[in-house]
Amino acid sequence: MPYNLTAAVERQEDLGAGYHLLTLAAPEIAREIRAGQFVMIGLTDIDQMLIRRPFSVALVSPGPDGGEPASIGLLYKVIGRGTTLFSRLQPGDRLALLGPLGRGFWLPDPALEAGGGDETELLLVAGGIGNAIFPLLLQELGPRAARTTLFFGGRGRADLTLLDWFEAHAGRVVTATEDGSHGQRGFVTAPLAAHLDADPGRRRLVMACGPHAMLRAVAELCLARGVPCQVAMEETMACGFGVCLGCVVEKREPESDFDRFVRVCTEGPVFDAREIVL
Amino acid sequence: MSAGVKLEVAVGGGLTLRNPVLTASGTFGYGLEFEPYLDLNRLGGVVVKGISPRPRAGNPPPRLVETPSGMLNAIGLQNVGVDRFLEEKLPALRERGVATVVNVYGQCEEDLLHVVEKLAPESGVAAVELNLSCPNVKEGGLELGRSPRAIESITRDARAITRQPLWVKLTPNVSSIAETALAAEAGGADAVSLINTLVGMVIDVERRRPVLHRGSGGLSGPAIRPVAIAMVHQVYRAVKIPIVGMGGIVNARDVVEFLLAGARAVQVGTANFNDPGVAMRIVGDLAAWCAAHGIADVNELVGAVKGNQA
Ligand SMILES: Cc1cc2nc3c(=O)[nH]c(=O)nc-3n(C[C@H](O)[C@H](O)[C@H](O)COP(=O)(O)OP(=O)(O)OC[C@H]3O[C@@H](n4cnc5c(N)ncnc54)[C@H](O)[C@@H]3O)c2cc1C
Ligand SMILES: Cc1cc2nc3c(=O)[nH]c(=O)nc-3n(C[C@H](O)[C@H](O)[C@H](O)COP(=O)(O)O)c2cc1C
Ligand code: FES
């Protein structure tokens, strides 16, 4: 059940190029949030911000005494009015916070994983700020994180935020930049396709988060090869908990005419790529 | 300290609410979604999402955009339809005991009356609110709600098929809201509720396209509050039936403003998206405001604005 709270800012780190990491003291949410779920955050004065903004929880961290998770870290990019206001918050300032919200990633049924050798290969695909969804997944995966590959794309090196962190926590990181400033030049879908084609028989699961065009390309690649694929979607949200009906995407196979749309905030944000129209 | 303040209000047709704060249609789901955040029974009542004869899919996205102090929506009245509402939602609300106002939508007069008729024998319907004013559906409500003659005749027809208290929700997209309110009163409405959203549009200047898929949408939130206050004030001087006011309410101060303008009860809308617990907090704050201002009965505030009446 989501918590509706106010939370204090613990840290605001400027990562350069408009990217920030905001850490909030929110033990209830830190303990319960699962990778791929999100929170709605807003300023406490409604006159300054009528509509809260959705953010993935990038990381959870324990309190000063270690132990249970006590803080959540939000990795965000400044793009408009709301994120500009958030970027000015200082330690001690308070934010309104609602979460955990939505359906996160899900792992293959362990019963189907017959021993380490047959383990499903997890491939994570991030475009730009879409990487914000993956640190928590890697944290949750524990030792298995070391057997994942992250395909990480951006316009340039500056968009590959937390790259060092990912290199330390994922098994392997393959980068691609449009300007060629890091890794292969071009879109991240090229190395992903090459990887899928190199060993086509392998059981895999692709998990993707990033711009819509990237998600569509990743989903097409995977569907064409019969590789299961989960995509984390974005739509404009007003409430985040299923009542405004603003955040819908179209179902691929609606059961009826009035069943054409699903809510990203409630049925998603993570969907099986086969469920929805990308 | 606020325990002694009388908050009950009579809103016509024999309906008394435990306090004047309801939640607005389309901003509160079917009520049950808010149970993690507040106690439904502390509210004056809930108004559910507009119900149509058949389920509706709504418009393709984008359906929302934020605007200065407000938001624009073109949801397109996505809803479960009257049959599923009666099977799944109403029984649960009835069990909670919260005053449930059912907002009714139709693309034409027969549709609307069909829903009113289906609701008529049901217990647990505190009132029926006719939405004649949704600006979101191309073929829909706008025309109906703009014509005093159409309002009067459809209200009369609805009146003839139900004994449940009947509210008519008025659109602000008219030249004289006093006239449309009078038409509802003449047709036999027990109360009028106002205002629905104002027609608005936002254009993405880079793409040279409206941001919303549908083009225009309905504007809500604090941006429309002064418009709503002026309209409630106007209608208060025109009709005798109770007024349920809404438009941009975010706190108890705003509720008092609506009451002073002439509303007997209010609905909290867009603010529910910001904070799902806000409606219950407003109830508590309203009682505290009254106590702090020496108001023993909230009804003392209704229409009590002083001064120039233009
Ligand atoms: C489930 C979910 C999780 C998200 N997680 C993160 C995250 O971890 N980190 C992060 O940086 N961002 C994330 N976002 C996007 C984030 O919510 C938006 O960037 C933010 O709301 C923009 O607010 P703003 O006021 O700064 O921009 P606005 O002033 O509202 O908009 C500025 C520009 O950005 C565009 N825009 C606004 N909202 C979005 C959106 N949701 N998606 C794409 N473009 C948008 C607008 O069309 C406009 O052109 C997430 C979105 C969703 C739906
Ligand atoms: C997302 C959204 C959906 C709405 N849906 C309905 C509806 O189904 N029927 C209706 O009569 N009014 C609907 N409304 C209008 C509200 O009930 C209310 O009249 C209006 O939003 C003004 O109040 P506010 O500024 O407090 O939101 C909707 C408003 C919003 C923002
Ligand atoms: S954001 Fe309101 S329903 Fe999804």
Side-chain angles (χ1 to χ4, degrees):
Chain A
M1 195 157 92
Y3 298 93
N4 186 21
L5 338 141
T6 64
V9 172
E10 287 180 340
R11 280 191 306 285
Q12 170 88 258
E13 290 158 77
D14 186 342
L15 307 176
Y19 293 92
H20 291 248
L21 183 61
L22 182 67
T23 307
L24 306 172
E28 298 88 344
I29 296 176
R31 279 197 294 271
E32 291 184 23
I33 189 111
R34 313 298 301 168
Q37 289 188 299
F38 68 101
V39 294
M40 294 293 285
I41 65 171
L43 302 181
T44 49
D45 178 4
I46 191 173
D47 287 335
Q48 285 185 49
M49 184 176 286
L50 179 64
I51 305 295
R52 293 183 188 180
R53 306 295 198 260
F55 293 93
S56 306
V57 168
L59 286 161
V60 298
S61 39
D65 49 344
E68 290 275 284
S71 319
I72 58 173
L74 312 179
L75 176 64
Y76 67 99
K77 186 178 181 183
V78 175
I79 61 162
R81 195 176 81 88
T83 45
T84 301
L85 290 169
F86 294 144
S87 72
R88 296 185 189 139
L89 293 167
Q90 298 295 321
D93 289 345
R94 298 192 76 81
L95 275 177
L97 184 61
L98 181 72
L101 298 166
R103 170 177 75 165
F105 293 109
W106 60 97
L107 290 175
D109 185 349
L112 296 175
E113 311 245 290
D118 275 310
E119 187 183 68
T120 302
E121 184 187 29
L122 300 181
L123 304 174
L124 320 184
V125 187
I129 189 63
N131 70 337
I133 210 165
F134 290 123
L136 185 60
L137 179 64
L138 291 168
Q139 283 184 320
E140 273 178 24
L141 286 173
R144 192 171 180 177
R147 300 190 293 277
T148 61
T149 302
L150 171 68
F151 294 87
F152 192 0
R155 244 165 298 169
R157 169 65 183 91
D159 295 308
L160 305 180
T161 47
L162 301 187
L163 183 58
D164 297 344
W165 192 96
F166 285 111
E167 283 176 336
H169 291 83
R172 196 158 70 95
V173 179
V174 178
T175 61
T177 52
E178 287 166 50
D179 65 4
S181 55
H182 198 279
Q184 189 170 325
R185 180 188 293 271
F187 294 124
V188 73
T189 39
L192 173 67
H195 181 89
L196 294 177
D197 292 338
D199 180 6
R202 179 99 202 250
R203 192 163 55 204
R204 298 189 161 104
L205 171 61
V206 170
M207 296 156 147
C209 184
H212 194 255
M214 184 203 90
L215 295 181
R216 189 189 303 137
V218 170
E220 272 170 20
L221 273 178
C222 291
L223 294 182
R225 291 165 176 78
V227 176
C229 175
Q230 295 173 20
V231 289
M233 297 296 291
E234 274 190 24
E235 251 312 320
T236 319
M237 294 184 171
C239 70
F241 57 99
V243 297
C244 74
L245 305 179
C247 64
V248 298
V249 291
E250 210 164 333
K251 280 190 192 173
R252 202 180 280 263
E253 283 165 8
E255 280 140 41
S256 65
D257 240 13
F258 6 91
D259 186 40
R260 273 174 61 205
F261 300 109
V262 280
R263 296 165 298 186
V264 171
C265 70
T266 311
E267 282 81 26
V270 179
F271 292 94
D272 185 318
R274 287 170 304 189
E275 287 175 73
I276 53 167
V277 178
L278 275 158
Chain B
M1 82 179 164
S2 46
V5 178
K6 179 175 179 282
L7 292 178
E8 290 93 63
V9 290
V11 284
L15 176 63
T16 298
L17 303 173
R18 75 191 72 190
N19 67 63
V21 182
L22 301 103
T23 54
S25 179
T27 66
F28 210 67
Y30 300 99
L32 308 164
E33 298 91 329
F34 282 75
E35 285 196 309
Y37 312 109
L38 47 68
D39 178 357
L40 292 174
N41 268 302
R42 295 278 305 280
L43 304 177
V46 306
V47 186
V48 300
K49 177 76 190 159
I51 305 294
S52 53
R54 284 163 298 279
R56 288 176 57 98
N59 295 323
R63 291 177 168 188
L64 293 178
V65 60
E66 197 187 30
T67 58
S69 296
M71 63 176 268
L72 204 59
N73 87 82
I75 306 299
L77 286 145
Q78 180 176 341
N79 79 93
V80 297
V82 67
D83 294 332
R84 254 186 75 196
F85 174 74
L86 292 179
E87 263 164 51
E88 294 170 21
K89 312 291 181 184
L90 187 60
L93 286 161
R94 203 184 277 138
E95 206 174 279
R96 306 299 190 280
V98 57
T100 302
V101 178
V102 184
N103 183 278
V104 173
Y105 174 78
Q107 287 174 71
C108 59
E109 184 161 344
E110 297 85 81
D111 270 11
L112 210 107
L113 294 173
H114 173 80
V115 181
V116 174
E117 202 167 4
K118 283 213 160 167
L119 292 169
E122 297 287 334
S123 66
V125 176
V128 171
E129 179 179 63
L130 301 181
N131 174 12
L132 309 176
S133 50
C134 184
N136 290 343
V137 182
K138 280 204 179 82
E139 69 281 18
L142 193 56
E143 290 71 27
L144 209 56
R146 273 182 167 177
S147 152
R149 201 163 354 118
I151 293 174
E152 185 176 337
S153 95
I154 196 162
T155 307
R156 182 162 291 131
D157 291 345
R159 178 75 296 164
I161 56 178
T162 185
R163 295 156 158 272
Q164 289 158 345
L166 191 60
W167 300 3
V168 174
K169 186 161 175 179
L170 302 175
T171 170
N173 304 304
V174 292
S175 46
S176 168
I177 198 155
E179 237 179 90
T180 48
L182 279 165
E185 183 175 51
D190 295 300
V192 283
S193 52
L194 59 141
I195 60 176
N196 209 318
T197 54
L198 285 146
V199 176
M201 183 184 278
V202 175
I203 295 171
D204 178 334
V205 297
E206 300 299 332
R207 295 170 58 239
R208 300 193 182 190
R209 282 173 183 281
V211 171
L212 299 183
H213 182 272
R214 194 182 162 275
S216 62
L219 183 65
S220 66
I224 72 169
R225 193 190 309 135
V227 176
I229 293 288
M231 289 186 163
V232 166
H233 184 245
Q234 243 176 303
V235 170
Y236 182 67
R237 287 175 301 152
V239 301
K240 293 188 185 63
I241 52 178
I243 297 167
V244 181
M246 80 201 84
I249 294 173
V250 303
N251 57 35
R253 189 219 71 93
D254 300 341
V255 175
V256 173
E257 191 179 357
F258 272 91
L259 299 179
L260 291 173
R264 198 79 69 83
V266 299
Q267 295 176 15
V268 178
T270 303
N272 294 308
F273 301 152
N274 176 281
D275 175 356
V278 71
M280 190 170 96
R281 208 176 52 240
I282 289 176
V283 173
D285 291 351
L286 178 65
W289 190 96
C290 289
H293 289 76
I295 306 287
D297 178 348
V298 78
N299 290 286
E300 292 169 35
L301 294 168
V302 177
V305 63
K306 304 177 200 166
N308 292 340
Q309 301 291 299

